[in-house]
PDB file of all heavy atoms in Angstrom:
ATOM      1  N   GLY L 957      70.587 149.211  92.804  1.00  0.00           N
ATOM      2  CA  GLY L 957      69.295 149.128  92.134  1.00  0.00           C
ATOM      3  C   GLY L 957      68.990 147.701  91.740  1.00  0.00           C
ATOM      4  O   GLY L 957      69.799 146.795  91.976  1.00  0.00           O
ATOM      5  N   TYR L 958      67.827 147.491  91.164  1.00  0.00           N
ATOM      6  CA  TYR L 958      67.413 146.160  90.719  1.00  0.00           C
ATOM      7  C   TYR L 958      67.948 145.900  89.311  1.00  0.00           C
ATOM      8  O   TYR L 958      67.832 146.756  88.432  1.00  0.00           O
ATOM      9  CB  TYR L 958      65.893 146.044  90.741  1.00  0.00           C
ATOM     10  CG  TYR L 958      65.310 146.100  92.142  1.00  0.00           C
ATOM     11  CD1 TYR L 958      64.621 147.221  92.583  1.00  0.00           C
ATOM     12  CD2 TYR L 958      65.471 145.036  93.021  1.00  0.00           C
ATOM     13  CE1 TYR L 958      64.097 147.287  93.861  1.00  0.00           C
ATOM     14  CE2 TYR L 958      64.962 145.081  94.312  1.00  0.00           C
ATOM     15  CZ  TYR L 958      64.276 146.212  94.724  1.00  0.00           C
ATOM     16  OH  TYR L 958      63.765 146.266  96.000  1.00  0.00           O
ATOM     17  N   LEU L 959      68.508 144.725  89.109  1.00  0.00           N
ATOM     18  CA  LEU L 959      69.163 144.383  87.845  1.00  0.00           C
ATOM     19  C   LEU L 959      68.220 144.521  86.652  1.00  0.00           C
ATOM     20  O   LEU L 959      67.144 143.915  86.632  1.00  0.00           O
ATOM     21  CB  LEU L 959      69.714 142.955  87.921  1.00  0.00           C
ATOM     22  CG  LEU L 959      70.480 142.470  86.692  1.00  0.00           C
ATOM     23  CD1 LEU L 959      71.766 143.263  86.513  1.00  0.00           C
ATOM     24  CD2 LEU L 959      70.790 140.979  86.811  1.00  0.00           C
ATOM     25  N   LYS L 960      68.610 145.361  85.698  1.00  0.00           N
ATOM     26  CA  LYS L 960      67.880 145.547  84.442  1.00  0.00           C
ATOM     27  C   LYS L 960      66.428 145.950  84.670  1.00  0.00           C
ATOM     28  O   LYS L 960      65.541 145.581  83.897  1.00  0.00           O
ATOM     29  CB  LYS L 960      67.943 144.271  83.584  1.00  0.00           C
ATOM     30  CG  LYS L 960      69.356 143.878  83.182  1.00  0.00           C
ATOM     31  CD  LYS L 960      69.385 142.595  82.373  1.00  0.00           C
ATOM     32  CE  LYS L 960      70.817 142.213  82.023  1.00  0.00           C
ATOM     33  NZ  LYS L 960      70.877 140.930  81.267  1.00  0.00           N
ATOM     34  N   ASN L 961      66.181 146.673  85.776  1.00  0.00           N
ATOM     35  CA  ASN L 961      64.806 147.114  86.064  1.00  0.00           C
ATOM     36  C   ASN L 961      64.846 148.563  86.558  1.00  0.00           C
ATOM     37  O   ASN L 961      64.643 148.837  87.747  1.00  0.00           O
ATOM     38  CB  ASN L 961      64.169 146.202  87.118  1.00  0.00           C
ATOM     39  CG  ASN L 961      62.662 146.359  87.170  1.00  0.00           C
ATOM     40  OD1 ASN L 961      62.125 147.406  86.788  1.00  0.00           O
ATOM     41  ND2 ASN L 961      61.966 145.342  87.657  1.00  0.00           N
ATOM     42  N   PRO L 962      65.110 149.500  85.645  1.00  0.00           N
ATOM     43  CA  PRO L 962      65.238 150.910  86.053  1.00  0.00           C
ATOM     44  C   PRO L 962      63.959 151.479  86.650  1.00  0.00           C
ATOM     45  O   PRO L 962      64.021 152.346  87.531  1.00  0.00           O
ATOM     46  CB  PRO L 962      65.616 151.625  84.745  1.00  0.00           C
ATOM     47  CG  PRO L 962      65.216 150.690  83.645  1.00  0.00           C
ATOM     48  CD  PRO L 962      65.361 149.308  84.201  1.00  0.00           C
ATOM     49  N   LYS L 963      62.791 150.988  86.214  1.00  0.00           N
ATOM     50  CA  LYS L 963      61.529 151.504  86.743  1.00  0.00           C
ATOM     51  C   LYS L 963      61.384 151.162  88.227  1.00  0.00           C
ATOM     52  O   LYS L 963      61.086 152.019  89.058  1.00  0.00           O
ATOM     53  CB  LYS L 963      60.350 150.922  85.949  1.00  0.00           C
ATOM     54  CG  LYS L 963      58.985 151.431  86.399  1.00  0.00           C
ATOM     55  CD  LYS L 963      57.884 150.881  85.486  1.00  0.00           C
ATOM     56  CE  LYS L 963      56.504 151.400  85.912  1.00  0.00           C
ATOM     57  NZ  LYS L 963      56.078 150.848  87.192  1.00  0.00           N
ATOM     58  N   ALA L 964      61.640 149.887  88.564  1.00  0.00           N
ATOM     59  CA  ALA L 964      61.545 149.466  89.965  1.00  0.00           C
ATOM     60  C   ALA L 964      62.603 150.159  90.809  1.00  0.00           C
ATOM     61  O   ALA L 964      62.348 150.531  91.965  1.00  0.00           O
ATOM     62  CB  ALA L 964      61.693 147.947  90.073  1.00  0.00           C
ATOM     63  N   SER L 965      63.788 150.380  90.232  1.00  0.00           N
ATOM     64  CA  SER L 965      64.867 151.050  90.965  1.00  0.00           C
ATOM     65  C   SER L 965      64.491 152.492  91.274  1.00  0.00           C
ATOM     66  O   SER L 965      64.710 152.978  92.392  1.00  0.00           O
ATOM     67  CB  SER L 965      66.167 151.007  90.157  1.00  0.00           C
ATOM     68  OG  SER L 965      66.570 149.669  89.938  1.00  0.00           O
ATOM     69  N   ALA L 966      63.910 153.180  90.274  1.00  0.00           N
ATOM     70  CA  ALA L 966      63.510 154.583  90.474  1.00  0.00           C
ATOM     71  C   ALA L 966      62.442 154.691  91.549  1.00  0.00           C
ATOM     72  O   ALA L 966      62.480 155.596  92.394  1.00  0.00           O
ATOM     73  CB  ALA L 966      63.005 155.161  89.156  1.00  0.00           C
ATOM     74  N   GLU L 967      61.500 153.753  91.551  1.00  0.00           N
ATOM     75  CA  GLU L 967      60.442 153.765  92.571  1.00  0.00           C
ATOM     76  C   GLU L 967      61.024 153.488  93.951  1.00  0.00           C
ATOM     77  O   GLU L 967      60.649 154.115  94.940  1.00  0.00           O
ATOM     78  CB  GLU L 967      59.373 152.715  92.225  1.00  0.00           C
ATOM     79  CG  GLU L 967      58.536 153.072  91.009  1.00  0.00           C
ATOM     80  CD  GLU L 967      57.620 151.935  90.577  1.00  0.00           C
ATOM     81  OE1 GLU L 967      57.688 150.840  91.200  1.00  0.00           O
ATOM     82  OE2 GLU L 967      56.843 152.135  89.628  1.00  0.00           O
ATOM     83  N   ALA L 968      61.962 152.537  94.020  1.00  0.00           N
ATOM     84  CA  ALA L 968      62.537 152.142  95.311  1.00  0.00           C
ATOM     85  C   ALA L 968      63.349 153.274  95.940  1.00  0.00           C
ATOM     86  O   ALA L 968      63.434 153.372  97.163  1.00  0.00           O
ATOM     87  CB  ALA L 968      63.411 150.905  95.145  1.00  0.00           C
ATOM     88  N   PHE L 969      63.953 154.144  95.094  1.00  0.00           N
ATOM     89  CA  PHE L 969      64.822 155.208  95.607  1.00  0.00           C
ATOM     90  C   PHE L 969      64.209 156.595  95.471  1.00  0.00           C
ATOM     91  O   PHE L 969      64.918 157.598  95.556  1.00  0.00           O
ATOM     92  CB  PHE L 969      66.176 155.161  94.900  1.00  0.00           C
ATOM     93  CG  PHE L 969      67.048 154.028  95.372  1.00  0.00           C
ATOM     94  CD1 PHE L 969      67.129 152.856  94.647  1.00  0.00           C
ATOM     95  CD2 PHE L 969      67.780 154.131  96.541  1.00  0.00           C
ATOM     96  CE1 PHE L 969      67.922 151.794  95.081  1.00  0.00           C
ATOM     97  CE2 PHE L 969      68.575 153.084  96.982  1.00  0.00           C
ATOM     98  CZ  PHE L 969      68.646 151.918  96.249  1.00  0.00           C
ATOM     99  N   GLU L 970      62.903 156.652  95.324  1.00  0.00           N
ATOM    100  CA  GLU L 970      62.245 157.952  95.181  1.00  0.00           C
ATOM    101  C   GLU L 970      62.516 158.828  96.415  1.00  0.00           C
ATOM    102  O   GLU L 970      62.385 158.377  97.557  1.00  0.00           O
ATOM    103  CB  GLU L 970      60.735 157.750  95.017  1.00  0.00           C
ATOM    104  CG  GLU L 970      60.008 158.999  94.573  1.00  0.00           C
ATOM    105  CD  GLU L 970      58.556 158.726  94.216  1.00  0.00           C
ATOM    106  OE1 GLU L 970      58.160 157.551  94.130  1.00  0.00           O
ATOM    107  OE2 GLU L 970      57.819 159.708  94.053  1.00  0.00           O
ATOM    108  N   GLY L 971      62.934 160.054  96.167  1.00  0.00           N
ATOM    109  CA  GLY L 971      63.212 160.972  97.273  1.00  0.00           C
ATOM    110  C   GLY L 971      64.593 160.807  97.871  1.00  0.00           C
ATOM    111  O   GLY L 971      64.914 161.429  98.890  1.00  0.00           O
ATOM    112  N   GLY L 972      65.435 159.965  97.249  1.00  0.00           N
ATOM    113  CA  GLY L 972      66.812 159.827  97.729  1.00  0.00           C
ATOM    114  C   GLY L 972      67.015 158.839  98.856  1.00  0.00           C
ATOM    115  O   GLY L 972      68.101 158.763  99.433  1.00  0.00           O
ATOM    116  N   TRP L 973      65.975 158.074  99.201  1.00  0.00           N
ATOM    117  CA  TRP L 973      66.080 157.033 100.224  1.00  0.00           C
ATOM    118  C   TRP L 973      65.570 155.715  99.644  1.00  0.00           C
ATOM    119  O   TRP L 973      64.668 155.716  98.806  1.00  0.00           O
ATOM    120  CB  TRP L 973      65.234 157.381 101.455  1.00  0.00           C
ATOM    121  CG  TRP L 973      65.777 158.483 102.294  1.00  0.00           C
ATOM    122  CD1 TRP L 973      65.700 159.833 102.042  1.00  0.00           C
ATOM    123  CD2 TRP L 973      66.482 158.352 103.538  1.00  0.00           C
ATOM    124  NE1 TRP L 973      66.313 160.544 103.039  1.00  0.00           N
ATOM    125  CE2 TRP L 973      66.794 159.668 103.975  1.00  0.00           C
ATOM    126  CE3 TRP L 973      66.863 157.266 104.318  1.00  0.00           C
ATOM    127  CZ2 TRP L 973      67.483 159.914 105.163  1.00  0.00           C
ATOM    128  CZ3 TRP L 973      67.546 157.503 105.503  1.00  0.00           C
ATOM    129  CH2 TRP L 973      67.846 158.811 105.914  1.00  0.00           C
ATOM    130  N   PHE L 974      66.113 154.581 100.114  1.00  0.00           N
ATOM    131  CA  PHE L 974      65.576 153.284  99.709  1.00  0.00           C
ATOM    132  C   PHE L 974      64.323 152.993 100.515  1.00  0.00           C
ATOM    133  O   PHE L 974      64.350 152.973 101.748  1.00  0.00           O
ATOM    134  CB  PHE L 974      66.606 152.167  99.919  1.00  0.00           C
ATOM    135  CG  PHE L 974      65.996 150.794  99.752  1.00  0.00           C
ATOM    136  CD1 PHE L 974      65.545 150.375  98.502  1.00  0.00           C
ATOM    137  CD2 PHE L 974      65.834 149.953 100.829  1.00  0.00           C
ATOM    138  CE1 PHE L 974      64.947 149.131  98.343  1.00  0.00           C
ATOM    139  CE2 PHE L 974      65.244 148.707 100.690  1.00  0.00           C
ATOM    140  CZ  PHE L 974      64.806 148.290  99.435  1.00  0.00           C
ATOM    141  N   HIS L 975      63.224 152.766  99.823  1.00  0.00           N
ATOM    142  CA  HIS L 975      61.930 152.479 100.460  1.00  0.00           C
ATOM    143  C   HIS L 975      61.830 150.978 100.736  1.00  0.00           C
ATOM    144  O   HIS L 975      61.808 150.169  99.810  1.00  0.00           O
ATOM    145  CB  HIS L 975      60.773 152.911  99.544  1.00  0.00           C
ATOM    146  CG  HIS L 975      60.720 154.387  99.292  1.00  0.00           C
ATOM    147  ND1 HIS L 975      59.623 155.156  99.604  1.00  0.00           N
ATOM    148  CD2 HIS L 975      61.632 155.242  98.767  1.00  0.00           C
ATOM    149  CE1 HIS L 975      59.854 156.425  99.274  1.00  0.00           C
ATOM    150  NE2 HIS L 975      61.073 156.494  98.757  1.00  0.00           N
ATOM    151  N   SER L 976      61.759 150.616 102.012  1.00  0.00           N
ATOM    152  CA  SER L 976      61.788 149.195 102.382  1.00  0.00           C
ATOM    153  C   SER L 976      60.459 148.485 102.165  1.00  0.00           C
ATOM    154  O   SER L 976      60.413 147.266 102.038  1.00  0.00           O
ATOM    155  CB  SER L 976      62.193 149.047 103.853  1.00  0.00           C
ATOM    156  OG  SER L 976      61.154 149.526 104.699  1.00  0.00           O
ATOM    157  N   GLY L 977      59.346 149.243 102.171  1.00  0.00           N
ATOM    158  CA  GLY L 977      58.034 148.602 102.128  1.00  0.00           C
ATOM    159  C   GLY L 977      57.558 148.172 103.503  1.00  0.00           C
ATOM    160  O   GLY L 977      56.448 147.669 103.651  1.00  0.00           O
ATOM    161  N   ASP L 978      58.403 148.392 104.527  1.00  0.00           N
ATOM    162  CA  ASP L 978      58.016 148.075 105.905  1.00  0.00           C
ATOM    163  C   ASP L 978      57.439 149.324 106.569  1.00  0.00           C
ATOM    164  O   ASP L 978      57.998 150.412 106.434  1.00  0.00           O
ATOM    165  CB  ASP L 978      59.231 147.594 106.720  1.00  0.00           C
ATOM    166  CG  ASP L 978      59.691 146.213 106.317  1.00  0.00           C
ATOM    167  OD1 ASP L 978      58.840 145.404 105.909  1.00  0.00           O
ATOM    168  OD2 ASP L 978      60.901 145.944 106.397  1.00  0.00           O
ATOM    169  N   LEU L 979      56.352 149.144 107.292  1.00  0.00           N
ATOM    170  CA  LEU L 979      55.751 150.242 108.033  1.00  0.00           C
ATOM    171  C   LEU L 979      56.172 150.141 109.500  1.00  0.00           C
ATOM    172  O   LEU L 979      56.203 149.054 110.070  1.00  0.00           O
ATOM    173  CB  LEU L 979      54.226 150.192 107.925  1.00  0.00           C
ATOM    174  CG  LEU L 979      53.653 150.298 106.508  1.00  0.00           C
ATOM    175  CD1 LEU L 979      52.133 150.215 106.538  1.00  0.00           C
ATOM    176  CD2 LEU L 979      54.089 151.595 105.838  1.00  0.00           C
ATOM    177  N   GLY L 980      56.484 151.279 110.078  1.00  0.00           N
ATOM    178  CA  GLY L 980      56.922 151.253 111.472  1.00  0.00           C
ATOM    179  C   GLY L 980      56.739 152.595 112.148  1.00  0.00           C
ATOM    180  O   GLY L 980      56.259 153.563 111.547  1.00  0.00           O
ATOM    181  N   VAL L 981      57.136 152.642 113.414  1.00  0.00           N
ATOM    182  CA  VAL L 981      57.084 153.871 114.202  1.00  0.00           C
ATOM    183  C   VAL L 981      58.492 154.170 114.703  1.00  0.00           C
ATOM    184  O   VAL L 981      59.364 153.292 114.731  1.00  0.00           O
ATOM    185  CB  VAL L 981      56.113 153.754 115.397  1.00  0.00           C
ATOM    186  CG1 VAL L 981      54.683 153.539 114.899  1.00  0.00           C
ATOM    187  CG2 VAL L 981      56.517 152.621 116.345  1.00  0.00           C
ATOM    188  N   TRP L 982      58.694 155.430 115.105  1.00  0.00           N
ATOM    189  CA  TRP L 982      59.985 155.870 115.638  1.00  0.00           C
ATOM    190  C   TRP L 982      59.765 156.252 117.094  1.00  0.00           C
ATOM    191  O   TRP L 982      58.944 157.110 117.407  1.00  0.00           O
ATOM    192  CB  TRP L 982      60.471 157.087 114.848  1.00  0.00           C
ATOM    193  CG  TRP L 982      61.936 157.082 114.562  1.00  0.00           C
ATOM    194  CD1 TRP L 982      62.887 156.314 115.141  1.00  0.00           C
ATOM    195  CD2 TRP L 982      62.613 157.906 113.599  1.00  0.00           C
ATOM    196  NE1 TRP L 982      64.121 156.605 114.617  1.00  0.00           N
ATOM    197  CE2 TRP L 982      63.981 157.575 113.667  1.00  0.00           C
ATOM    198  CE3 TRP L 982      62.201 158.903 112.718  1.00  0.00           C
ATOM    199  CZ2 TRP L 982      64.938 158.192 112.867  1.00  0.00           C
ATOM    200  CZ3 TRP L 982      63.162 159.510 111.920  1.00  0.00           C
ATOM    201  CH2 TRP L 982      64.512 159.164 111.989  1.00  0.00           C
TER     202      TRP L 982
END
């Protein structure tokens, strides 16, 4: 997670995956 930033950490790991902020296709 992000140091001393639980809010940003919770947003980044919402749904049990780390959200990269990158958009792509499979």
Side-chain angles (χ1 to χ4, degrees):
Y958 293 107
L959 182 66
K960 299 178 182 178
N961 196 336
K963 182 176 181 291
S965 299
E967 290 172 357
F969 285 99
E970 192 171 350
W973 288 78
F974 169 67
H975 296 238
S976 70
D978 288 328
L979 300 179
V981 297
W982 220 345

